[in-house]
Amino acid sequence: MTPDVWVLLLPALIPIVVLSLGPLIYGVYLGFTDARAGLYVPTDFIGLANFKELVHDDLFWNSFKIGLVWAVSVTVLQFVLSLGLALLLNVEGLRFRGLARVLALVPWAMPPVVIGIMWRLVYHPDAGILNQTLQSVGVLHHNVDWLSGFAIALPAVIVVGVWTGMPQTTVTLLAALQGVPGELGEAAALDGAGAWARFRVVSWPAIKPVVVSITTLNFIWNFNEFGLVYVLTAGGPGGKTQLPMLFAYMEAFRYGHFGYAAALGDVMVVVIAVLLVVYMRAQSRGERS
């Protein structure tokens, strides 16, 4: 590139380098040190010591397993429910379709912190609308503390994660469905194909590249979730909802182990890089097909 081109790119490159690339490189470096909280605390390079400790850290592996359960569950449920909603909103002649589309986007317009506070009120053991509703219809006979039970806290948080992420997935799938030529569905209907057959033969092959893209991206975003779960449970009860990012946060800002937390961040960078490679390959295969 000519010098003039670099001059034009500098206003965009400088913020990226200063605010994104620089902190990323420094964070990766911290993973190889014994950095701790406090003023004038010396920081020494310790090589792979943090990573060796991670390998034998049961709390880390537990958070990693919980992160996988959370990411897979939320991603799969988001896709299934969003696909059903997108198919419904794609039906011609559906009454109040415009209003339904607007309502489907409401969670997307709300910050994660607000969503977390709202759902904490919904799940409140004494005054929450969920307990009151279930008791009024006879499903429950006593209050349930949804966010403090060891067996139900993670499923309760997964429900919130699905509700939060559905709008984006729904809009993406709806756009893909509306890109399917209507003539193909009409031709299949004339041949006697039912609704399921038309979806399987006509719509699904057309939207499959979009499905692969959005589910891969959703998995990456869900695996990196922090704010929503932190507001809901802060990783409790007893670490049952402690995702990897929450574990790193606790190590850094509760216990002051910055180097150890950065090492966990380095591991997450590798995991996300692998997922991005899978995503890019899936994208390239979709473009070639």
Side-chain angles (χ1 to χ4, degrees), residues 176-240:
L177 287 170
Q178 291 183 337
V180 179
E183 297 82 4
L184 297 179
E186 294 173 1
L190 292 175
D191 290 336
W196 168 247
R198 292 198 302 272
F199 172 75
R200 181 173 54 86
V201 177
V202 177
S203 299
W204 178 255
I207 69 172
K208 188 176 179 180
V210 176
V211 169
V212 173
S213 299
I214 192 62
T215 51
T216 304
L217 291 174
N218 280 344
F219 184 85
I220 294 172
W221 291 328
N222 291 327
F223 195 67
N224 278 320
E225 182 60 61
F226 171 78
L228 181 65
V229 181
Y230 180 79
V231 174
L232 283 169
T233 64
K240 293 297 182 180

Side-chain angles (χ1 to χ4, degrees), residues 30-106:
L30 281 181
F32 297 89
T33 70
D34 62 351
R36 291 160 293 168
L39 295 175
Y40 310 112
V41 176
T43 298
D44 298 318
F45 184 84
I46 58 174
L48 299 176
N50 286 327
F51 299 95
K52 293 178 181 177
E53 186 176 349
L54 272 178
V55 172
H56 303 287
D57 191 340
D58 292 336
L59 293 176
F60 162 70
W61 288 111
N62 183 62
S63 71
F64 201 85
K65 292 175 184 177
I66 292 173
L68 286 176
V69 172
W70 154 270
V72 172
S73 301
V74 173
T75 302
V76 171
L77 291 173
Q78 275 178 357
F79 169 70
V80 173
L81 296 177
S82 298
L83 179 60
L85 183 57
L87 289 170
L88 178 63
L89 295 178
N90 195 45
V91 174
E92 293 292 339
L94 179 68
R95 295 186 63 186
F96 307 111
R97 185 168 68 165
L99 177 61
R101 288 180 176 180
V102 172
L103 293 177
L105 291 175
V106 168

Side-chain angles (χ1 to χ4, degrees), residues 254-273:
R254 175 171 292 183
Y255 307 117
H257 302 154
F258 289 160
Y260 191 61
L264 173 58
D266 294 347
V267 172
M268 296 300 296
V269 168
V270 174
V271 172
I272 298 305

Side-chain angles (χ1 to χ4, degrees), residues 134-208:
L134 293 179
Q135 289 183 35
S136 65
V137 298
V139 176
L140 293 179
H141 301 288
H142 57 84
N143 290 337
V144 175
D145 196 346
W146 299 95
L147 297 177
S148 297
F150 283 90
I152 60 175
L154 184 58
V157 173
I158 287 173
V159 169
V160 182
V162 172
W163 184 84
T164 304
M166 274 186 61
Q168 180 173 331
T169 308
T170 300
V171 170
T172 304
L173 294 176
L174 179 59
L177 287 170
Q178 291 183 337
V180 179
E183 297 82 4
L184 297 179
E186 294 173 1
L190 292 175
D191 290 336
W196 168 247
R198 292 198 302 272
F199 172 75
R200 181 173 54 86
V201 177
V202 177
S203 299
W204 178 255
I207 69 172
K208 188 176 179 180

